[in-house]
Amino acid sequence: MDADDRFMWMALDLARQGRGRTSPNPLVGAVVVQDSEVLGTGYHQYAGSPHAEIIALKKAGERAQGATLYVNMEPCSHQGRTGPCTEAIIKAGISRVVAAMQDPNPIVSGRGFARLKEAGIKVKEGVLEHKARRLNEAFIKYMNTGLPFVGIKVAMSLDGKIGTMTGESHWITGERSRQFVHRLRDQSDAIMVGIETVLKDDPRLTTRIESGEGKDSVRVIVDSTARLPVDARVIESNSSAGIILAVTNQAPPDKCRLLEEKGVEVLLLPEVDGRVDVKALMKKLAEREISIVLVEGGGTLNYSLLEQSLVDKLFIFIAPLIIGGAKSPTAFAGSGIASLSKAWAIEDIEMKQFDRDLLLIGYPASRVAVS
């Protein structure tokens, strides 16, 4: 591994420390190096805080003169919540900048590199770019489409069931798997479920990490007719995270007012086939700078999102159980497909194991013919 790769790995590792805290900003880490000596490091900690480059330069101080700055994303060149990093880099006397990728934000994209080159700083782009793009996949989606990055989490048996014929589902997977899910919640901006999940399981939808340092995300409940009980645990839970109830015109106004009195934000949305238009919902969430949504719903919501090409990533937990039953719920319900040629292919699959449970992580591709 050459020096540029080595220090870029360091920048990427630093960037990861901001997971779940920087939205709608990207995850960024920075390292200042002179003659193979690390002079300063930093990472973006939360939106509105100093950027990674500023922190690293401050730690390096005067020694940054003539040094190389490693950063996993193009330095910003505009005035946002903080000042432009390019000007701080130029002022510090950095002679070379090594970056993994261009910033997809249209107000930055390429301009940061151009400003550095204009100031006589050598710029090297594309070092570990694939790793950098995967790290900031949510930010890239948000910038390119104006929609949140959507991950679906499923816990199912070997035969694809997410509950028994009576609806029992606690617990299909083990404790270590559930702890991983709480870490996913901590790294998300919103947790989304359908009303059937709330009525069946009465979840709190909070983050419970063993260290106690997890944050609760906004709870989003898709509920066309406002069936959410006013005494549901998600409402009564001791959490400062907000609750958004996505409803349609079918929702009784009196019930909506009762829920609003309990602190629930009722969001009226158009409907498609009698249900909440989930694409319209995603657009509304993005407008609120919610860029990462973790869906923990049932088969109906899961299939609806998949069918409308709104799913970016899948987290499929598989427990070594066989539940059976034609009426037992499955991870993806809906109308289903008539031909295997219309099936969704899952790509870039990664596998993890938590005790007896397997976790498959993958990305839905376009529908392709299955040979």
Side-chain angles (χ1 to χ4, degrees):
M1 182 185 299
D2 67 16
D4 285 348
D5 282 2
R6 180 160 57 93
F7 291 119
M8 187 59 71
W9 273 116
M10 188 179 296
L12 289 166
D13 287 341
L14 285 162
R16 289 186 184 94
Q17 296 183 47
R19 273 183 166 160
R21 305 296 184 272
T22 65
S23 290
N25 292 350
L27 297 166
V28 183
V31 183
V32 178
V33 178
Q34 180 85 275
D35 297 327
S36 296
E37 179 187 357
V38 175
L39 306 178
T41 63
Y43 71 94
H44 187 43
Q45 298 177 20
Y46 56 89
S49 70
H51 288 188
E53 301 95 318
I54 304 302
I55 297 171
L57 289 170
K58 185 176 181 180
K59 289 180 180 178
E62 294 181 357
R63 295 192 299 166
Q65 186 75 34
T68 296
L69 172 69
Y70 292 87
V71 61
N72 60 295
M73 187 170 288
E74 175 184 10
C76 66
S77 57
H78 67 292
Q79 179 70 46
R81 288 170 173 161
T82 60
C85 290
T86 50
E87 302 312 304
I89 293 167
I90 294 167
K91 184 178 179 180
I94 291 290
S95 64
R96 180 173 178 255
V97 171
V98 179
M101 62 174 286
Q102 189 175 96
D103 191 333
N105 187 338
I107 65 175
V108 177
S109 191
R111 293 178 177 85
F113 290 146
R115 176 68 184 109
L116 295 173
K117 292 173 183 176
E118 180 184 274
I121 296 174
K122 295 179 181 178
V123 176
K124 181 179 180 180
E125 304 175 38
V127 176
L128 300 183
E129 181 174 0
H130 175 71
K131 299 294 183 182
R133 294 184 69 83
R134 181 54 55 87
L135 176 66
N136 271 304
E137 57 192 5
F139 178 72
I140 294 169
K141 163 79 180 296
Y142 183 67
M143 282 292 112
N144 288 341
T145 68
L147 294 172
F149 185 90
V150 178
I152 286 182
K153 166 254 152 182
V154 168
M156 68 182 192
S157 61
L158 281 173
D159 54 340
K161 305 297 184 180
I162 59 173
T164 67
M165 61 180 294
T166 61
E168 182 184 350
S169 60
H170 291 170
W171 296 101
I172 289 178
T173 53
E175 176 61 28
R176 288 187 61 210
S177 296
R178 297 197 295 276
Q179 274 298 307
F180 184 87
V181 172
H182 282 288
R183 290 197 293 275
L184 290 178
R185 289 182 178 183
D186 177 59
Q187 295 169 9
S188 302
D189 301 327
I191 311 301
M192 180 181 292
V193 297
I195 184 58
E196 294 297 340
T197 296
V198 176
L199 295 176
K200 178 171 64 71
D201 298 336
D202 197 17
R204 286 174 287 178
L205 300 177
T206 53
T207 300
R208 299 180 295 280
I209 295 178
E210 291 175 345
S211 65
E213 298 177 354
K215 74 164 183 17
D216 290 340
S217 300
V218 175
R219 282 78 55 83
V220 180
I221 302 169
V222 183
D223 182 9
S224 301
T225 57
R227 290 187 290 156
L228 177 66
V230 294
D231 60 350
R233 288 207 303 170
V234 69
I235 297 175
E236 300 296 335
S237 62
N238 183 24
S239 174
S240 60
I243 301 171
I244 297 174
L245 190 72
V247 304
T248 68
N249 279 322
Q250 301 176 59
D254 289 346
K255 178 64 178 297
C256 290
R257 280 194 290 272
L258 281 175
L259 290 168
E260 287 173 335
E261 289 172 3
K262 297 285 286 186
V264 176
E265 179 186 353
V266 178
L267 182 62
L268 180 62
L269 291 163
E271 63 181 67
V272 175
D273 297 329
R275 300 178 183 274
V276 169
D277 182 343
V278 287
K279 182 167 284 190
L281 172 57
M282 291 300 176
K283 289 179 180 177
K284 288 292 185 182
L285 295 179
E287 289 171 4
R288 297 167 184 233
E289 297 190 336
I290 291 175
S291 62
I292 305 174
V293 176
L294 179 66
V295 179
E296 298 188 43
T300 300
L301 178 59
N302 290 347
Y303 188 83
S304 176
L305 292 167
L306 188 63
E307 190 175 39
Q308 296 191 53
S309 300
L310 292 171
V311 181
D312 301 291
K313 196 169 188 175
L314 295 168
F315 299 89
I316 309 294
F317 290 88
I318 304 172
L321 305 171
I322 294 177
I323 293 175
K327 295 184 179 179
S328 299
T330 59
F332 294 88
S335 58
I337 60 170
S339 168
L340 285 177
S341 65
K342 301 297 184 181
W344 286 270
I346 309 303
E347 299 180 334
D348 297 335
I349 295 174
E350 176 187 358
M351 183 182 296
K352 298 178 182 290
Q353 185 165 357
F354 299 98
D355 295 331
R356 298 196 308 159
D357 302 332
L358 292 179
L359 168 60
L360 299 181
I361 303 174
Y363 299 81
S366 300
R367 297 188 186 188
V368 295
V370 178
S371 58

